[in-house]
Each structure stands twice: as structure tokens, then as C-alpha cells.
Amino acid sequence: MVDKQQLIHFDSDYLCLAHPAIVQRMAEEVLVPHTGYGCDEISEHARQRIREVCGCETALVAFLTGGTQTNAVVIDALLASYQGVLGADTAHIGMHEAGAIEAMGHKVITLPSHEGKISAETVDSYMKVFCGDESWEHCAQPGMVYITFPTEYGSVYTLSELEDLHAVCKRHRLWLYLDGARIGYGLAAAGTDVTLKDIACLCDAFYLGGTKCGAMFGEAVVIPRAGIVSHFFTQIKRHGALLAKGWSCSLQFDTLLSDDLYFKITRYGVEMGQRLKEQLVQKGYRLLQDSPTNLLFFVLDNRQLTLWRRLATFDIWEKRADGRAIVRLVTSWSTREEEIRDFVAQV
Amino acid sequence: MVDKQQLIHFDSDYLCLAHPAIVQRMAEEVLVPHTGYGCDEISEHARQRIREVCGCETALVAFLTGGTQTNAVVIDALLASYQGVLGADTAHIGMHEAGAIEAMGHKVITLPSHEGKISAETVDSYMKVFCGDESWEHCAQPGMVYITFPTEYGSVYTLSELEDLHAVCKRHRLWLYLDGARIGYGLAAAGTDVTLKDIACLCDAFYLGGTKCGAMFGEAVVIPRAGIVSHFFTQIKRHGALLAKGWSCSLQFDTLLSDDLYFKITRYGVEMGQRLKEQLVQKGYRLLQDSPTNLLFFVLDNRQLTLWRRLATFDIWEKRADGRAIVRLVTSWSTREEEIRDFVAQV
Amino acid sequence: MVDKQQLIHFDSDYLCLAHPAIVQRMAEEVLVPHTGYGCDEISEHARQRIREVCGCETALVAFLTGGTQTNAVVIDALLASYQGVLGADTAHIGMHEAGAIEAMGHKVITLPSHEGKISAETVDSYMKVFCGDESWEHCAQPGMVYITFPTEYGSVYTLSELEDLHAVCKRHRLWLYLDGARIGYGLAAAGTDVTLKDIACLCDAFYLGGTKCGAMFGEAVVIPRAGIVSHFFTQIKRHGALLAKGWSCSLQFDTLLSDDLYFKITRYGVEMGQRLKEQLVQKGYRLLQDSPTNLLFFVLDNRQLTLWRRLATFDIWEKRADGRAIVRLVTSWSTREEEIRDFVAQV
Amino acid sequence: MVDKQQLIHFDSDYLCLAHPAIVQRMAEEVLVPHTGYGCDEISEHARQRIREVCGCETALVAFLTGGTQTNAVVIDALLASYQGVLGADTAHIGMHEAGAIEAMGHKVITLPSHEGKISAETVDSYMKVFCGDESWEHCAQPGMVYITFPTEYGSVYTLSELEDLHAVCKRHRLWLYLDGARIGYGLAAAGTDVTLKDIACLCDAFYLGGTKCGAMFGEAVVIPRAGIVSHFFTQIKRHGALLAKGWSCSLQFDTLLSDDLYFKITRYGVEMGQRLKEQLVQKGYRLLQDSPTNLLFFVLDNRQLTLWRRLATFDIWEKRADGRAIVRLVTSWSTREEEIRDFVAQV
């Protein structure tokens, strides 16, 4: 029988509470009084650090708790009530957020995608057909393009793809919003030519993910041109997303952005992923699609699946009619090198 | 000039990050992997502890992040779309939640209150007039009574008042929901005859507040008869309120409920409040209304206000036309005895 | 026993299907094909007529079905998601619209009123307290003032009161929206100094009520500066308020605005109301408050109520603890002179 | 140059105001007073007639104004806040209702369709995958299947297909809701084996369309088991969908259901459609798919399109990359036989 405690965990990048430096910092602050609701000095310091790494001095920066919440708050803040958001048919907001976007009244309009990405061409043709159609005024008006970086399939947009999306959004008056739940892993992706400053330059809004990149919880929203939203504080509160002890979240980002920690640990997470990928491929396992990040998708037959499940925990993404399964392996800042070694040795 | 660092803080009960035992516990768990979304063993243990202190073995228990979020999730889960919630005209949901309840489509219907409390009689007459009126079907249908314990004014309902509210709610088929953001202080109130088990017995839903009672963040929703809500997990997610690392919240309650810590520290907070109250009254300061908890309201003239502001930080609740001000002093688990002593000595 | 058919009806101003000229016009158009959704020539003609009587050549004009729908569409179109609307504590949107405004996410914030009206001073002090309060960012942001003309109590604002409201709204950056369900009766009120052009000049949005002023159904929204809303057509559709056969509504306004019919028949309705009022007062009946329009409120003792109910149908507005009742009598374009005469003769 | 007045209109089935019998009935009722909000005798009579033709004596019947409104009201009334509705990827609610369903917080979940229809198998496999997936609780919960009869492509479900959908819905605890905007034409479809009583027996909710079947406006919602919704009147009001003069709508259904008028005129509309179809096919025009109703889709090349546009007005449904166009021709109760003859003669 399988001892669950002995299994190797490739389920997700939010398996462990937090990077130890964060809890260390919490211990130091534990009895120091602070002003509530993000109006404290730690939060201000963290906001300043984020503006610096993003290269946008006047950005609005706000700290929220989790990804679905952040998507709902940002999308709702940027869209008028009658507007919808365009996203890949594989997008998290359409698939796995329990209708949180629709709960605020906005339609999620799906576009065909490739390896989790949507192209500027797809957006452009959608908008041309939409605006050219006689019944377009009878439809939810597209107001934003939502992308993930890296995508739900571990792929990353190239700089040129982002520039094209930026241009097509500008042309059709759509906001470009980048969900950065795993942005640290995306920026550390093998061969990527995208920097955080590029993202800040090309997107109307995005967030630096904390939960999946070493924080206990928290996502840092960045809106480079602060003037495009109004009363963002009130809107956060209205979503039930305002933390009384705002510094409990911001001190995590303040810590992660000290000494490049955020980027060091996500780079490490990607290294673990790439090492795992290469060794499994060498052993003959078949990738669903190549991935330069910490999210790996393999196509397993039944025998392989049974073997893997005896050794590790991971998500079964899809069960195919032919009996094969698509499985997802995730590495992270908390993956240990011996986990990779032990798993590979046994499969 | 005033040195802000030297001031005594009576602003709120969420001034310090967390009780040190919580951060200690986090340090112990920092690299232990857990299943996400509250499906881990710590969360299950914490839920069990809460069921025990509440005396309801089969209650649904869920951990959320903050008070406004909790109110929005619970109210939305218990009401049908066309129903509204009855609350005191001083209620937090109506005043200071940025329209979070209305954001989910529910009207907040205000009732006259006394010292922050609404009475069973008030609810009863409202419902009689409402149902007797020819146009009642043209109105948002009341579906719930919302109360706070202690109230925004620091007062607490007596057991008999709660029993009456329970009865009137049952008679008119209204849910009774108790916002327990400060429930620890309420249960420790001077002279209260209400226990947590009474609350669990008389209310359809309530929450054990964490944020104001020693936690870093977090509120524990309790629905004694679990069957009255469906798909609560999905509803939490839809509100953007689902924590990926659920145990970051539940371990706080697990810690607070060990060795009676939650009740010890809130009892201490109330003791500090009562001591402060008595000494200020003795010095001739005038209470707006008596309070048996950690929230104190004083009526100050201009000279008194100026003096106090040189010594401490606190909220100005209301400025009266006659120049006087209503101020609120809050003590908590993190108030130090010397703060009370120093403040009283100087005023 | 009372024969219901023989009773005189003072229930409302929407007792009869429509002014006969409207059904006559429908008969003429019955088999003439038209383009859908208000893009037909009759609708364009009616819009042009309305722009003319309002004195605003470039106004946006749209035809909706009923009052609650119109309020929900206009308020939702002018407010950002996080904004609320200020209205009298007696306002229709707060009392009798089943939470339709909250259904779209907006809080209705009530202000004290006098005889159904709110004053510029009340708005001003609310806004001053609101903006001066430390916690204002935690509250639904006021974005609009909603008034009714005439009010639910039959009273009308004077020109100077409207000018003051306009000024205070401008000062605090609030939209001023006038619910004109009974605007025809208001403009015909005894002694009023307000014209339709004044309203078009002072309000950001208002509507010419059809349902209560002779139409079968329909309200004509006027937004003098069309640029303040976007995609209004789509927003109407999103509210389920777009009529496929738009001309079924607009031809009613086109008919009512021919030969001054709209104003003739509402003037007549007010004359009937004033005659009824004077004769009842002469007979010793007590008004709750004077009214210059077609809505009359009387305070009746039990004996009087019993007598009246044997003769007529009308709404009982409120039952007082002392046994007396406030009743509402409504006259309209369809009231017959002999109804007034017969009723007065018998009471 | 084309004289628009001389064109033949195949745009839609809502080209003319109403069947003359309806306006005749309005003329008879024009000055008869009635109780408001559907509580009058005509409405009660119409409800009773509808219950009879549907064969369900205790059904809830309510009259609304248009299709999008009806869909929003019914879907919102039957679903819990966190539930979504399953529909064909071509469904009206997903495509052309401006996000009205999402405006009430419900996700529209699209399923692959064939000729506008979804099959029980498709629903079944969706639900099996959905419920079998580990992340199903993170998703909007399907609560209803939405179908149109006839579909947006003019096709109709067979009795056996409806029975299968009924069964699969029951198995997965989904409501089955049938949008009957054109139900009259569907029941008159060539070769259909479905009756109104079958629909009433197999669906949890549906509506008898008025707007497209001879009424000026109006749709009659039928909920065979009335107990499955609560406070439907209040919910209608909350959607801004309650007509003050309810009888303006119900008298139309009362008239249409006298002497089988509703079915006679829709049968005629289908006859016109079938005649048009056969003659065009005979002339060599190519159908996109066969249709047994009044909605016809043809694939035209550029030359054909140019010719047709000189003679008639109709919708261009889709422009294909190869230059060809899909066009939709619609006949109805108001199509004249000579229009068919003249059009066919000239193409």
C-alpha cells in the first residue's frame, strides 16, 4: 500500500506555507503596531520596490489575497458593466474561477488558443467580425484581453507576441491584462526574452503572483498608468478583498523583493522543472507540448500512470477516450533536488 | 511636535500582526507540504476544534480572510437573489462595507437601533407592517436578520434578547446571522450571560472573528445546520475568497483554540478596556454610553480632544455641531498595561 | 354588498389601457413593416419631437417599457459599479422596486426628506460629512442624486429648488437624475414655475413618463448631453429592456406629443385632482399635506374610511397606531368628471 | 437605385405591429379600468387559457415583454447564484443578449451543437467529465439546460430528442428550459411530432413567444410545477419586467388563443417558409441546412447576393472567407403570398 507521506509532490507550486524568510520577517514584526488597510510604512516600502522592479515610478500598486480575487477585482475595475473580457478557451477565468467574473456581471468571451496562448491575429479577426456584424450592439462589448504569463500550459509569450497583443489591443481600444500568478516562473523560463519592465510597458494591468512564488498568500496588482482606475481602494473593499492588516501581505512582497529573492527562487523552480522534463523525456516519456517553465504536461498510458501514481501526487488534467491520460507535474521554489532524482530513478 | 512613534494606540484591535504563538506555529509548518484549498489535516483539525467549542458536531466550518468578505459570502449563500437583509441602521454591512452586499444583488434594509442593537420587537413590527402592506410583493423580500456581537458600539445582546431574536426570526422565516468579528470580546464582556454554545444554538450562521482577536487574518464561519447551504466551497471560490493555502488561515484558529488561548487573550483585552473606562470615568470623562467590552465611546470637548490627541491615536467617530466630538478607544489582546497607565496618568 | 363594478376608481393613474388616439394610431400602423429595435422612422420622428419639446437638439432619447426598468437602466448606465445613488427615504427606487437597483450592484443611500422632496442643503451636508469622514473610502461612493417630479407624495420642486440641486450636484460631482413617471402632472401642477426645458437644462438624465400619462406602456429617457453614456443600446439590451418592435412604444409618444396631447390630458388630470381636493376639504376632510397635482393624501378615521371604501377603490398608504389611516386618491387623464361629482356627493 | 419601400421583407418575424385582431381587442378595452400588475380578470383568463392548451392546470403563468428579458428572469429565478446554464454554442443567450444572463451573475456554458441543437449525449458527457473532474468544485455549477424550439437555425427537436434531454436533465439534476420565442412556428414545423403538451410535460419552464408570433410584444412564461419558484412576482419586478398595465400584454395572448388563432397564423407562416424554400431550391439555390420552419438559411455566391439584395431585405448571417455569404430568410404570419411569388419570380 502507498504511504501518502512518502510520496513526492508535484501537485502544485503552493504546497508549502511560505519561503522561510517570510515567516522570519513576520516574527520580527509580530508585535509592532501598524496602521490598517495598507496605509502603513511597510506597504508603502513594498509598493515602492515593486514600482522600481517594474520600472514605473507612478504605478498604482495594491496587495490582494489570491488569484481569482485579483482577476475579479481588476477586471471589474477596468471594465464598464456591459463589457466582457476576451480570453483563451483554456483561460483560468473561464474554466476554474467558479463564475467569479460573471458574478460581477461580465461575460468571459473565449477565443481559440494554441498551447494556452492567444495570438494578436485571433484577437484582431474576432474584433473585425464582431464590429462588422450587424448585431454587434446586441452583444456584450469586448473591453479587455486577458492573458496568463506563463499560461495554464506552462508556455510563455515572446516579447514580439506581447508587442503584437499590445498593438492590437490599442487598435481596438481593449485593455491588456496579464495574470501573473506564476510570473516569476515565466520570467525565468528557458529562452524567454521578456522582462518585467516589458510587461509593465505593454500591459494596462498585471499582477506579481505571490501565492505560487514563495508567499504565504498575496498578489501584487500593478496598474502602470494609475489614472485609468478610480477609487480602487473602495472597489477592493467592495469585493471583500481589503485586508485589515495590509502589512501581513505587503511585508511578504517586501521580503521577496529584497536581494532578488523572488527571482532567485522562481528561477530555481524552473531549473527543477527543466531538469525533471529532460530526464523524463530521456527516459522515453512523451510530453503533451514542450514547456520552458515549471509546469509540465505528459501523455501517459495506463501502465505509466499506475506507476507514477505509486510514487508521486500530481493532477490528472484530462482522461482521453483512448485510455491515455494527460497529467501535470509542477515544480516550484520548494521542490527539493532529491525529489527529482528519486522520482526519475524510479520511473 | 508629536512623535507618532511615542503615541499610545487605541485605534483598533488589529494593530499588531498576530499573537506570537501563531507566528511560532507558522515557523514550525513552514516547509511541510499540505493539500490546498482547506482540504488538509490542519484545517480538518481546526474545524473539529471549532465544532467542539461551539457544541455542534455536524456544523459546516469554513475559513475566510476578513469580515466584509465573510459577510458577503454568508449573506449571499443564505439569501435567494431577490432577498434583502435586515440590520441596524448602524450596522457595519450598511455603513462601512463599500456596498459589498449590494454588489451581490442584496438590499440592506435598515431598522432603528438602540446602542447598536436591534430588538425582536423592532423586527416583529417591521415584518408585520411589511407583510400587511398591499405593495409588499413590490419590495425586496427580507430573508435574514444581521446582528453584530458585540455591536459596533461595544454593547452585547443578553441571552434573553438573542432568544427573542431567534424566535421572531423563526416566526417570520428569517435567517439569524451573527457577525462575530469581535465575538471573543463579546463573550468576555462584563456581566454577559451568553456563551458560544448559546450562539451556535440560536443562530443559523455566525463567525468566530480572527483578525480582531489575535489572528494575522481570518474568520471562521460556522453554520450549525450544514444542510441549509449548498456548494459552499464553490460559492467561496466565486467570491474570490478561497485561499490556495487554506492551512495558513486554519492553523491560526487551531493555535488560538489550543489551551483556551482565544478566550484568554480576548478576556485580557476586555479587562484592559474596562480598566481604561473606569479610570477615565473616575477622572471625569463622559461616556457616550456604557460598554462592557473593549470598545469605548467618549464625548469630548475641544480642549479634551486636543489633549488626548497629543497622547494617543484613536478614531473620531462623529463631530457634533456643538463642537464636541465622539471618540472611540479600542483595547485588545495586544494592549499593554503600561499604555493604560501612562494614558490615564496624563489626561 | 358592494358591487365592485360600480365603484369609482382612484387607485392609480394607470387604470385604463391608453388614450384612444394611441390605439387609433396602432390600428393605422398595424400591418406596415418597420425595422426593429427602435431603428425605424416613427421612433426617429418621436425622438425628434421629444428633443424639440425639451429644447435639446442633441439629446439621446430612448424608449423603455416601465418606470422601475427605466430607473435601473439609467442609474446603472450613469454610475460606476462601486457607486451608489442618493434618494429621499420615501423614494420609489428605495421602497417599491424590489431591489432592482441593488440587483445591478448599486446601493440606494437614503436622505431625510420633507413631503417627498430632498433639499440641496441635505445633499450638501451629507456629502460634506461623507467626504470629511476618515472612513469614506470604505463606503459606497455617492454618484448620483435621484429625485421624482412630482414626488411620490404629489409635491413638486420649484425651479429654484431644482437649480439648487443642480448646483450642489455639480459641486460634488454627482449626476442629477429626475424620475418623470408622472412628469406631465408635475408640469401641470397648480402654481408650478418649472418647465420641461428647465428640467432638460438642469438634469443629467430624466424621463417623460408614458404609462401614467396616457400611454399603454413606455417611458422616454432623455439624456441631454448624449456623450455622458456609452453603448446605451447595448446596456438597454443587457437589462432585457430592448423592444423588438420599438415603434410600438415610440408611436405612443409620437401620438401623445402631437397637438400637445400629452400636456392637455395631464393638465386635465391635475384639474380633476384639484377639484376633488377642494371639494373634499370643503366637506371637512383632512389632507395629510397639500398637493398641487393628481396625487392626494387624506387622513381618515375609521368611520370615514369605511364610508369611502364603500364608494371607491384607492390605496391605503399607511395604517396608524391610533386607528387612523392615510389614504391616497389618484386622478388622471381617464378620470371622468361625474366620478368626482358622484364621490363628493356621497361622502 | 433601390426603392426601399418596394423591397420584400424577409428580415424577421417581427416586422409588423401585431395581428389586427389584437389591436381590435385593444380598441374594445381602451377605456375599461383594470387592476394593475397582472391581477386583472383578462390576465387571469389568459393564464387559464394557456394552462388549458398546455394541459397543466396548476402551472404558473406570467406575462413578460420580450425574449431576452424572459430568459434573464426565468434563468435567474431557477438557478442559485453560483449556478450556470448549459446551452448550444449557437444559443441566443450566449450570443445576442448582451450579457444579460451574466448581468445577473450566471455563467453561460457552451456545448457543441449540430444544426442549432444539442443532444442528450452531449449534455451527459459534459456532466460526466465535469463531475468526474477533481476541480469541479472550482467551477460554476451547471444548473440548467437551455434549448430553443425551433432553434436559431430553424431546426426542431423531435419528441424522442426532447424525452432524452428531459431524462438526462433529471439524471443530473438540471432544469430543462425551452426558449419558445418562435414556438408557434416550431409546433407547426413540417413533420414535427412534438405538441405543446409534450413540451409542458418534459420541460421545467418554457415560454410561448408572442413578439414573433403575432403579438405587439409579450412572452408567456409557463412553469408547469409552480412550486419550483418562489416570489416570482417580486423577481419579475426586480428585473424591471413588471408591466403596470399587465392586461396590455395578457389580452394579446387571450386574443391569440381564441379560435386557435395563434396556431393558425404560425402554421401559415411556416407554409410560406416551406413554399419559399422549395421554390428557391428548385431554382438551384443552395440551403445551408434543411429547415422545416419559417427560418431559412441559404449559401449565396457574390452574384446571387447582389441580385437578392436588390429585391429583398434579409440578414447576412455570416460572410465566409471564400466570398460566399450565409443569409437568413424569415417568413411569418405577416408574409403575403405575393411576396413569395414576386421574389421567386425575379431570382
Side-chain angles (χ1 to χ4, degrees), chain A residues 14-16 34 37 96 215 245, chain B residues 14-16 34 37 215 245:
Chain A
Y14 41 94
L15 281 167
C16 292
H34 287 290
Y37 306 113
H96 292 115
K245 303 183 185 176
Chain B
Y14 41 95
L15 280 168
C16 291
H34 287 290
Y37 306 113
K245 303 183 185 176

Side-chain angles (χ1 to χ4, degrees), chain A residues 14-18 26 30-31 33-34 37 65 68-69 96 98 100 103 211 215-217 237-238 240 243 245 247-248, chain B residues 14-18 26 30-31 33-34 37 65 68-69 96 98 100 103 211 215-217 237-238 240 243 245 247:
Chain A
Y14 41 94
L15 281 167
C16 292
L17 189 61
M26 286 173 170
V30 73
L31 289 178
H34 287 290
Y37 306 113
T65 311
T68 295
Q69 180 181 86
H96 292 115
T211 306
M216 187 182 293
F217 62 88
K237 179 85 179 182
R238 181 175 180 258
L243 282 166
K245 303 183 185 176
W247 72 98
S248 68
Chain B
Y14 41 95
L15 280 168
C16 291
L17 190 61
M26 286 174 170
V30 72
L31 289 177
H34 287 290
Y37 306 113
T65 311
T68 295
Q69 181 181 86
H96 292 116
T211 306
M216 188 182 293
F217 62 88
K237 178 86 178 182
R238 181 174 180 258
L243 281 166
K245 303 183 185 176
W247 71 98

Side-chain angles (χ1 to χ4, degrees), chain A residues 82 93-99 102-108 133-135 137-140 309 314-317, chain D residues 82 93-99 102-108 133-135 137-140 309 314-317:
Chain A
Y82 57 90
I93 51 167
M95 300 285 284
H96 292 115
E97 302 198 348
E102 290 86 357
M104 304 317 293
H106 305 290
K107 189 175 188 68
V108 178
D133 195 281
E134 287 170 17
S135 66
E137 280 191 289
H138 293 255
C139 304
R309 294 190 79 165
F314 49 84
D315 274 10
I316 296 177
W317 205 249
Chain D
Y82 58 88
I93 52 167
M95 299 284 285
H96 293 116
E97 301 199 347
E102 292 85 357
M104 304 316 293
H106 305 290
K107 191 177 186 69
V108 178
D133 196 282
E134 287 171 17
S135 65
E137 280 192 288
H138 293 256
C139 303
R309 294 189 79 165
F314 49 83
D315 273 11
I316 296 177
W317 206 250

Side-chain angles (χ1 to χ4, degrees), chain C residues 102-332:
Chain C
E102 291 85 356
M104 303 317 293
H106 305 289
K107 191 177 186 69
V108 178
I109 306 163
T110 53
L111 297 178
S113 62
H114 180 64
E115 302 195 343
K117 299 197 281 182
I118 46 176
S119 69
E121 289 70 38
T122 305
V123 173
D124 197 44
S125 10
Y126 179 85
M127 289 306 295
K128 278 179 182 154
V129 170
F130 179 81
C131 297
D133 195 281
E134 286 170 19
S135 66
W136 69 281
E137 280 192 289
H138 293 255
C139 303
Q141 300 291 311
M144 175 188 275
V145 169
Y146 165 92
I147 56 173
T148 46
F149 184 89
T151 69
E152 294 78 1
Y153 282 89
S155 56
V156 290
Y157 289 90
T158 64
L159 179 56
S160 134
E161 286 170 338
L162 283 184
E163 285 169 344
D164 289 352
L165 280 167
H166 168 83
V168 80
C169 284
K170 205 151 187 187
R171 186 152 66 252
H172 294 292
R173 312 191 69 171
L174 302 164
W175 303 116
L176 180 58
Y177 167 49
L178 182 146
D179 177 336
R182 296 187 166 99
I183 201 171
Y185 301 111
L187 294 169
T192 185
D193 59 350
V194 174
T195 66
L196 191 50
K197 288 180 185 176
D198 293 330
I199 287 173
C201 190
L202 295 170
C203 297
D204 297 295
F206 64 99
Y207 72 93
L208 288 189
T211 306
K212 288 163 177 161
C213 300
M216 188 182 293
F217 62 88
E219 325 295 329
V221 174
V222 183
I223 299 182
R225 288 171 293 130
I228 66 174
V229 290
S230 295
H231 290 287
F232 200 59
F233 183 97
T234 306
Q235 297 199 55
I236 290 172
K237 178 85 178 182
R238 181 175 180 258
H239 278 260
L242 189 66
L243 282 167
K245 303 183 186 177
W247 72 98
S248 67
C249 185
S250 56
L251 72 71
Q252 302 185 54
F253 282 93
D254 202 52
T255 304
L256 288 169
L257 292 171
S258 299
D259 303 323
D260 210 36
L261 182 61
Y262 187 77
F263 301 102
K264 277 182 200 156
I265 67 178
T266 50
R267 214 176 301 131
Y268 169 83
V270 169
E271 270 170 40
M272 291 300 103
Q274 294 301 300
R275 190 181 300 176
L276 179 61
K277 179 184 80 176
E278 281 150 24
Q279 299 186 3
L280 289 171
V281 167
Q282 232 165 1
K283 286 216 153 186
Y285 286 102
R286 196 181 130 215
L287 282 166
L288 175 69
Q289 57 181 68
D290 194 13
S291 159
T293 60
N294 66 323
L295 298 183
L296 311 174
F297 290 82
F298 286 91
V299 186
L300 301 184
D301 63 29
N302 213 29
R303 197 192 50 79
Q304 292 170 324
L305 182 61
T306 309
L307 171 61
W308 284 28
R309 293 190 79 165
R310 235 176 318 161
L311 303 168
T313 59
F314 48 82
D315 274 10
I316 296 177
W317 206 249
E318 199 190 317
K319 276 182 185 152
R320 297 221 164 144
D322 63 7
R324 287 188 301 175
I326 311 297
V327 305
R328 188 187 73 165
L329 303 191
V330 187
T331 58
S332 78

Side-chain angles (χ1 to χ4, degrees), chain D residues 304-322:
Chain D
Q304 292 170 326
L305 182 61
T306 309
L307 171 62
W308 284 28
R309 294 189 79 165
R310 236 176 317 162
L311 302 169
T313 58
F314 49 83
D315 273 11
I316 296 177
W317 206 250
E318 199 188 316
K319 274 183 185 153
R320 298 220 164 145
D322 63 7

Side-chain angles (χ1 to χ4, degrees), chain A residues 190-218:
Chain A
T192 187
D193 58 350
V194 175
T195 67
L196 191 49
K197 288 180 185 175
D198 293 329
I199 287 172
C201 190
L202 296 170
C203 297
D204 297 295
F206 63 98
Y207 72 92
L208 289 188
T211 306
K212 289 165 177 158
C213 301
M216 187 182 293
F217 62 88

Side-chain angles (χ1 to χ4, degrees), chain B residues 145-221:
Chain B
V145 169
Y146 165 93
I147 56 174
T148 45
F149 184 89
T151 70
E152 295 77 1
Y153 281 88
S155 55
V156 290
Y157 290 90
T158 65
L159 180 55
S160 135
E161 287 170 337
L162 282 184
E163 285 169 343
D164 290 351
L165 280 167
H166 169 83
V168 81
C169 284
K170 206 153 186 181
R171 187 152 65 253
H172 295 291
R173 312 191 69 171
L174 302 164
W175 302 117
L176 180 58
Y177 168 48
L178 182 146
D179 176 335
R182 296 187 167 99
I183 201 170
Y185 301 111
L187 294 169
T192 185
D193 58 351
V194 174
T195 67
L196 191 50
K197 288 179 184 176
D198 293 329
I199 287 172
C201 190
L202 295 170
C203 297
D204 297 296
F206 63 98
Y207 72 92
L208 288 188
T211 306
K212 289 165 177 160
C213 301
M216 188 182 293
F217 62 88
E219 325 295 328
V221 175

